[in-house]
């Protein structure tokens, strides 16, 4: 018996209602045949008992069959249907003992439509009342009475055990259906959250890329424009040099924008090594570059992080330390790490003070994505050093397996 508030799982009888129709028809026809063929009582009584079974067919077709397909069945309607079916069944069962075969069609319907308590009451009535009425009406011998009574008790016990077990199976099935529905909803929610997290991560990545490339380039352009405006009246050659830097920076920004759209490597790394890209970057920012250790090709991820970190550190140095501050870049290769440091001798700052900017937080996040670290050391009046350390692995020599 299904319960309100429980997720609906399609019952076996929902899919096979025609089988239940066939089962009812076979049980009814067999009962009718047994009643008419019985040796006792007389033909007239057996004919009356058979006639009393006939209304069970339209009663089942019109009232019972639709009720069996409801989930959950209306308890009031179920009680009325089974009360009517039992009222049609009992007189015939009292008149002719063979009519009790019809109980095999009625008992499953009790468990299918009623709550457990009422179904047990109905099953008890179907099994015991016909025997009691038959015994009072026909006064059978003690042996016949004992045999019929024993048969009805065994049938009742069997019906209760099988019915209760079936109800428990149905309840467990519906509990599992509810759990499956919850798991399915959770799976869809996890999928939605995963997609949202992926979109957020991609948005953050694009924000870092734009901040470290296009935004820094535009900042450099603004600074160069200000320098050119100040130099036009008294230092035209220097202004022209800054105009050339503006042209190079604008072209570099355009190349970076195209690389972002295409999802390719940074423009500075396209077809060149990391030290070469840093040399060009240092030249644009009027910084020095020192390379330590054996230079070797590395996976794209640490090289991109090193380049972007250097871009961010250089932009911050020019923005906060000023164009007159000396800036140096140090790139160090070791067996298991790649380290890039940017040092300026500007005014410095307090690293522990609250910072509203995105650059340093993005720099740490970018290094963390590849398992690296970013450290900022600065003291007011004593410059700033940004150091990014990234783990790398040595290339495996041909013919050797990694240890």
């Amino acid at each position: 018996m299904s319960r309100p508030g429980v997720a609906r799982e399609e019952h076996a009888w929902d899919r096979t209602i025609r089988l239940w129709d066939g089962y009812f028809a076979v049980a009814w026809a067999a009962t009718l045949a047994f009643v008419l063929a019985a040796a006792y009582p007389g033909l007239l009584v057996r004919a009356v008992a058979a006639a009393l079974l006939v209304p069970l067919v339209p009663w089942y077709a019109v009232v019972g069959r639709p009720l069996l397909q409801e989930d959950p069945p209306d308890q009031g309607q179920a009680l009325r249907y089974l009360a009517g079916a039992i009222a049609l069944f009992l007189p015939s069962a009292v008149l002719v003992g063979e009519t009790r075969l019809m109980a095999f069609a009625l008992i499953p319907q009790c468990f299918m439509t009623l709550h457990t308590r009422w179904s047990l009451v109905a099953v008890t009535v179907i099994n015991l009342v016909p025997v009691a009425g038959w015994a009072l009406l026909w006064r059978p011998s003690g042996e016949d009475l004992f045999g019929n009574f024993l048969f009805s008790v065994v049938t009742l016990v069997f019906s209760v055990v099988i019915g209760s077990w079936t109800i428990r199976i149905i309840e467990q099935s519906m509990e599992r259906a509810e759990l499956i529905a919850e798991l399915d909803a959770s799976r869809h929610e996890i999928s939605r959250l995963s997609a949202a997290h992926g979109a957020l991560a991609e948005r953050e990545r694009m924000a870092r890329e734009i901040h470290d490339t296009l935004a820094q380039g535009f900042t450099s352009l603004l600074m160069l424009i200000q320098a050119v405006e100040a130099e036009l009246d008294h230092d035209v050659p220097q202004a022209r040099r800054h105009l050339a830097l503006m042209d190079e920076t604008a072209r570099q920004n355009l190349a970076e924008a195209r690389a972002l759209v295409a999802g390719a490597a940074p423009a500075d790394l396209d077809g060149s090594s990391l030290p070469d890209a840093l040399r060009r970057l240092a030249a644009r920012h009027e910084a020095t570059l020192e390379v330590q250790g054996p230079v070797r090709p590395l996976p794209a991820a640490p090289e991109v992080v090193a380049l972007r970190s250097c871009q961010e550190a250089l932009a911050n140095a020019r923005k906060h330390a000023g164009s007159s501050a000396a800036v140096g870049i140090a790139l160090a290769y070791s067996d298991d790490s790649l380290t890039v440091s940017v040092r300026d001798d500007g005014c410095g700052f307090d690293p522990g003070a609250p910072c509203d900017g995105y650059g340093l937080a993005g720099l740490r996040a970018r290094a963390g994505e590849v398992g690296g670290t970013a450290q900022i050391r600065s003291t007011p009046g004593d410059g700033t050093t940004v150091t990014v350390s990234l783990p790398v692995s040595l290339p495996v020599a041909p013919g050797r397996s990694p240890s």
Side-chain angles (χ1 to χ4, degrees):
M1 179 61 227
S2 60
R3 297 167 298 171
V6 176
R8 187 182 190 276
E9 173 75 357
E10 190 179 28
H11 294 151
W13 55 74
D14 289 337
R15 300 190 300 270
T16 57
I17 187 64
R18 292 182 180 178
L19 292 179
W20 282 106
D21 293 344
Y23 174 75
F24 182 88
V26 169
W28 181 85
T31 302
L32 191 66
F34 272 94
V35 168
L36 293 176
Y40 182 85
L43 178 62
L44 180 60
V45 175
R46 286 185 278 120
V48 172
L52 290 174
L53 291 175
V54 173
L56 274 174
V57 176
W59 184 249
Y60 166 80
V62 175
V63 183
R65 189 176 189 274
L67 186 67
L68 295 180
Q69 299 179 80
E70 293 183 7
D71 188 19
D74 179 78
Q75 291 299 286
Q77 186 176 357
L79 286 171
R80 288 190 292 272
Y81 163 69
L82 288 171
I86 292 172
L88 294 171
F89 163 75
L90 286 181
S92 180
V94 169
L95 291 174
V96 181
E98 284 75 5
T99 307
R100 294 197 287 275
L101 181 65
M102 192 65 196
F104 288 99
L106 296 179
I107 288 173
Q109 297 180 21
C110 297
F111 289 109
M112 291 164 62
T113 57
L114 294 174
H115 290 308
T116 303
R117 182 182 63 182
W118 285 109
S119 63
L120 294 178
V121 171
V123 168
T124 302
V125 171
I126 291 173
N127 279 285
L128 298 184
V129 171
V131 177
W134 173 80
L136 292 174
L137 178 63
W138 299 110
R139 305 290 180 174
S141 65
E143 183 178 353
D144 288 342
L145 178 60
F146 177 76
N148 279 268
F149 177 75
L150 182 61
F151 179 80
S152 64
V153 171
V154 171
T155 305
L156 174 61
V157 173
F158 177 80
S159 302
V160 170
V161 171
I162 296 299
S164 301
W165 177 74
T166 303
I167 287 176
R168 182 57 186 156
I169 293 294
I170 294 172
E171 289 177 347
Q172 289 181 344
S173 175
M174 303 193 78
E175 289 170 0
R176 290 191 181 98
E178 182 180 19
L179 179 60
I180 290 172
E182 292 175 356
L183 290 175
D184 191 55
S186 299
R187 182 175 62 84
H188 286 296
E189 181 65 12
I190 290 172
S191 176
R192 184 189 68 80
L193 292 176
S194 178
H197 177 72
L200 179 60
E202 179 64 14
R203 191 179 300 117
E204 290 179 351
R205 186 190 71 82
M206 289 299 297
R208 286 197 302 268
E209 294 291 334
I210 293 172
H211 178 273
D212 294 345
T213 56
L214 303 182
Q216 303 294 5
F218 290 138
T219 300
S220 298
L221 285 174
L222 290 175
M223 294 175 64
L224 289 170
I225 289 172
Q226 293 172 359
V228 168
E229 288 178 346
E231 294 163 351
L232 280 176
D233 295 334
H234 60 83
D235 193 350
V236 174
Q238 182 70 2
R240 287 178 176 173
R241 190 173 73 84
H242 283 157
L243 284 173
L245 284 175
M246 289 173 61
D247 179 81
E248 182 183 355
T249 302
R251 293 179 185 276
Q252 186 68 23
N253 254 27
L254 181 59
E256 292 287 3
R258 288 171 176 167
L260 284 175
V261 172
D268 278 325
L269 288 175
D270 188 16
S272 64
S273 66
L274 177 60
D276 291 337
L278 292 184
R279 286 189 187 97
R280 290 191 294 270
L281 184 62
R284 290 198 296 270
H285 288 268
E286 299 179 339
T288 61
L289 173 65
E290 178 185 0
V291 180
Q292 301 172 353
V295 176
R296 66 182 188 276
L298 295 175
E303 289 194 341
V304 170
V305 172
L307 175 63
R308 295 301 191 214
S309 300
C310 193
Q311 288 174 324
E312 171 64 22
L314 286 173
N316 285 340
R318 289 308 179 199
K319 179 179 179 181
H320 299 291
S323 59
S324 61
V327 180
I329 305 172
L331 179 65
Y333 287 83
S334 68
D335 290 346
D336 57 359
S337 67
L338 175 69
T339 303
V340 60
S341 298
V342 178
R343 170 86 167 88
D344 69 73
D345 59 0
C347 59
F349 68 101
D350 180 9
C355 180
D356 296 332
Y358 179 82
L360 295 181
L363 190 147
R364 292 189 178 96
R366 187 188 290 278
E369 287 180 353
V370 295
T373 59
Q375 295 181 345
I376 295 92
R377 295 191 301 272
S378 182
T379 303
D382 194 26
T384 301
T385 301
V386 176
T387 303
V388 176
S389 298
L390 308 171
V392 295
S393 58
L394 282 172
V396 178
R400 296 181 58 187
S401 60
S403 58

